[in-house]
Amino acid sequence: MFATKIFTSFVSNLFKIKPMQNAVLITIGDEILSGNTVDTNSNFIATELKNIGIKVVQIFTISDEIEIIKNTLKSAFEIGDLVITTGGLGPTRDDKTKKALAEFFDDEIALDEVTFEHLKAYMEKRGRIEILERNREQAFVPTKSTVFQNHYGTAPCMMMEQDGKLSFSLPGVPYEVKPLIKDQIIPYLKDKFSLNYLTTRIVSVVGIPESILADQIEDWELALPANLALSYLPVGTRVKLRLTATGIDEEFLQNQLENEIQKLFPIIGENIIATHEDKIEKILGEILNEKELTISTAESCTGGELAQLLTSNPGSSKYFIGGIVAYATQKKTDILHVSEGTIERFTVVSREVSREMADGCQSVFKTDISLSSTGVAGPGKGEDGKDVGLVYYTIKVKNESETFKLYLPHLERKDFIYFVSQKILQDLVGILIGK
């Protein structure tokens, strides 16, 4: 029986098509180009492909014009084994994406009865059968295409093949794209192609600027095996070293990555805060769970971003007790018991107010740790005349507290809030692990 399984596996792999390595993504739609809509599909698809060993080497964002689509497909097939398009598929007869696909693959568009029956069942299930005819055009597809039915929308996914290379054309709505990719396209690719494993580890480094870090680990980087790739990813004042290994044996790759990471500790060990988790809120969550510590937040200029980051982790209720966004000055005194005298003497954006906010927060929520922020996110100056970009934040652990000052006048409001929140959590991690 065991020998039969081995032979069956051998035959299955023997008839798989050559390895697929590179992918190109094409996002179609003027709404992306105009900035009105953020392209989240490409990030999701690239991540899913990476997990099965396919690397995205190019992402195009183009308008819904036939010649532009055809020209981009030509360029994509020149550099990639796999092309995935999202967007540009609609219920009207003037759907330019389908026409571009048909022309590019020397095909014609016709009604696919199976797709139409699926569309009919989809409409009936949702009580929208009266608009079936208006959506009938969705069942018209290139005749050479293989259709992957969309269970969460009306536009199907169409697969076309050219010289052993594949293209998948998907709708643009993210909640339709995700199940098509995860439940249908990824399993199809894994079954059809002989794919390498692609394994990634993240090493988080603090306290060293990126350029200096690169100099310090240059010899280590140059000595990396050929199947390992290194990327530098700055996030706030933290640098994430992303190590990616490619090969046919997943266990070997994991051991290989661990061995290379261990070689970093004699070089920059004092600056490493994590070697597995990627996001600072996840790194912090693991530490809080391990040390059985609770935490609370008192925010002003960060507007609840600290609480949002902390609660984005599953299981965060074990350590996050609560948070207060005391945006108005009066609420800092009413809820957090910041002294009016302190505010009058030092102004609301000050080291002293930040410290009293943390004290009040810890008192209200009875937590081991409290975090506070007070500053000017912009675009105008604060009510006390303080400059845009000035912020004070306090980290209080048990009875010990430390207050920090940042001045970030170059950052826009949204970036300011994100940077400050990331920095606060990063500094807390450093304090808790003694970095």
Side-chain angles (χ1 to χ4, degrees):
M1 177 66 73
F2 182 67
T4 302
K5 287 183 178 180
I6 293 177
F7 177 75
T8 302
S9 175
F10 171 76
V11 172
S12 174
N13 289 325
L14 183 65
F15 286 97
K16 283 187 175 183
I17 299 176
K18 66 178 182 177
M20 176 169 285
Q21 298 177 332
N22 297 328
V24 176
L25 308 184
I26 302 174
T27 302
I28 303 171
D30 292 335
E31 70 280 0
I32 302 291
L33 290 169
S34 68
N36 292 329
T37 301
V38 176
D39 174 25
T40 58
N41 288 330
S42 293
N43 176 268
F44 171 79
I45 295 171
T47 300
E48 292 297 313
L49 291 177
K50 178 192 70 176
N51 291 338
I52 61 170
I54 299 176
K55 181 181 179 181
V56 172
V57 294
Q58 182 100 35
I59 300 176
F60 294 98
T61 303
I62 61 174
S63 62
D64 190 4
E65 297 295 334
I66 291 177
E67 289 305 314
I68 292 177
I69 295 172
K70 287 165 59 180
N71 290 336
T72 308
L73 284 170
K74 183 177 183 296
S75 298
F77 273 115
E78 288 174 353
I79 59 177
D81 309 303
L82 170 68
V83 177
I84 298 179
T85 74
T86 56
L89 300 177
T92 58
R93 188 172 289 275
D94 64 348
D95 187 319
K96 296 176 183 177
T97 301
K98 284 182 186 177
K99 288 182 179 180
L101 287 170
E103 291 182 17
F104 182 81
F105 289 100
D106 192 22
D107 198 3
E108 59 184 21
I109 297 172
L111 177 68
D112 180 65
E113 292 293 344
V114 174
T115 301
F116 182 72
E117 288 302 315
H118 173 82
L119 181 62
K120 181 180 179 182
Y122 177 86
M123 292 295 188
E124 287 177 341
K125 186 176 180 180
R126 284 154 182 77
R128 305 297 303 278
I129 195 66
E130 74 280 357
I131 64 170
L132 176 62
E133 285 304 315
R134 271 185 280 167
N135 285 270
R136 182 184 179 86
E137 293 297 327
Q138 298 281 41
F140 282 77
V141 299
T143 61
K144 296 178 183 177
S145 68
T146 299
V147 177
F148 290 74
Q149 302 299 347
N150 183 355
H151 301 291
Y152 298 90
T154 58
C157 168
M158 298 161 288
M159 183 187 76
M160 308 284 282
E161 186 169 352
Q162 183 182 79
D163 300 326
K165 298 184 177 184
L166 297 180
S167 81
F168 291 86
S169 297
L170 288 75
V173 182
Y175 67 76
E176 298 177 27
V177 169
K178 289 183 178 180
L180 279 167
I181 292 290
K182 293 188 70 171
D183 301 338
Q184 298 191 61
I185 295 174
I186 293 296
Y188 177 85
L189 293 173
K190 289 173 68 176
D191 181 66
K192 186 176 178 66
F193 294 91
S194 177
L195 300 172
N196 280 325
Y197 287 99
L198 195 150
T199 306
T200 300
R201 287 279 296 276
I202 300 288
V203 179
S204 288
V205 181
V206 298
I208 311 177
E210 183 182 357
S211 57
I212 296 176
L213 174 62
D215 288 340
Q216 290 185 356
I217 65 173
E218 181 179 10
D219 291 341
W220 170 85
E221 181 178 352
L222 292 174
L224 288 173
N227 68 312
L228 265 61
L230 176 67
S231 299
Y232 293 77
L233 307 171
V235 180
T237 57
R238 177 170 57 119
V239 178
K240 296 191 295 185
L241 299 175
R242 183 174 66 192
L243 268 172
T244 303
T246 307
I248 60 174
D249 187 327
E250 186 176 22
E251 184 177 355
F252 172 82
L253 296 178
Q254 291 172 347
N255 291 333
Q256 187 182 34
L257 287 172
E258 180 61 29
N259 289 336
E260 294 302 327
I261 289 171
Q262 289 304 315
K263 294 176 184 178
L264 276 175
F265 278 90
I267 309 171
I268 55 168
E270 292 184 356
N271 301 94
I272 294 174
I273 62 171
T275 61
H276 285 84
E277 286 294 352
D278 182 358
K279 297 180 179 179
I280 193 68
E281 58 268 28
K282 289 188 176 182
I283 297 171
L284 176 58
E286 286 190 353
I287 296 171
L288 294 174
N289 273 327
E290 180 184 342
K291 294 180 177 292
E292 297 183 343
L293 297 171
T294 56
I295 190 169
S296 57
T297 58
E299 303 181 63
S300 185
C301 63
T302 50
E305 180 72 7
L306 283 173
Q308 190 279 322
L309 287 170
L310 288 166
T311 56
S312 65
N313 288 332
S316 56
S317 58
K318 292 180 181 178
Y319 50 82
F320 183 73
I321 306 305
I324 294 170
V325 180
Y327 215 62
T329 300
Q330 188 61 45
K331 296 306 175 185
K332 292 176 176 65
T333 60
D334 292 346
I335 301 173
L336 297 171
H337 310 299
V338 175
S339 167
E340 291 184 354
T342 300
I343 295 174
E344 290 175 2
R345 183 178 177 185
F346 298 103
T347 76
V348 71
V349 179
S350 63
R351 186 179 303 274
E352 292 75 14
V353 166
S354 177
R355 187 179 299 117
E356 290 190 19
M357 287 174 66
D359 290 340
C361 181
Q362 190 179 52
S363 176
V364 169
F365 290 106
K366 305 294 188 292
T367 54
D368 300 305
I369 302 168
S370 64
L371 308 174
S372 70
S373 67
T374 178
V376 187
K381 288 188 175 184
E383 60 186 60
D384 54 5
K386 294 293 178 68
D387 289 336
V388 174
L390 177 64
V391 58
Y392 293 93
Y393 60 92
T394 298
I395 298 173
K396 186 173 185 181
V397 181
K398 300 292 179 66
N399 295 321
E400 300 292 327
S401 66
E402 188 171 359
T403 301
F404 305 82
K405 175 185 177 181
L406 287 175
Y407 183 49
L408 308 164
H410 58 290
L411 295 182
E412 294 185 358
R413 183 181 181 86
K414 184 177 180 180
D415 295 331
F416 170 89
I417 291 171
Y418 179 77
F419 184 98
V420 171
S421 300
Q422 289 281 320
K423 184 70 166 62
I424 293 173
L425 298 188
Q426 176 185 301
D427 287 353
L428 174 57
V429 168
I431 289 171
L432 293 178
I433 65 176
K435 298 294 186 184

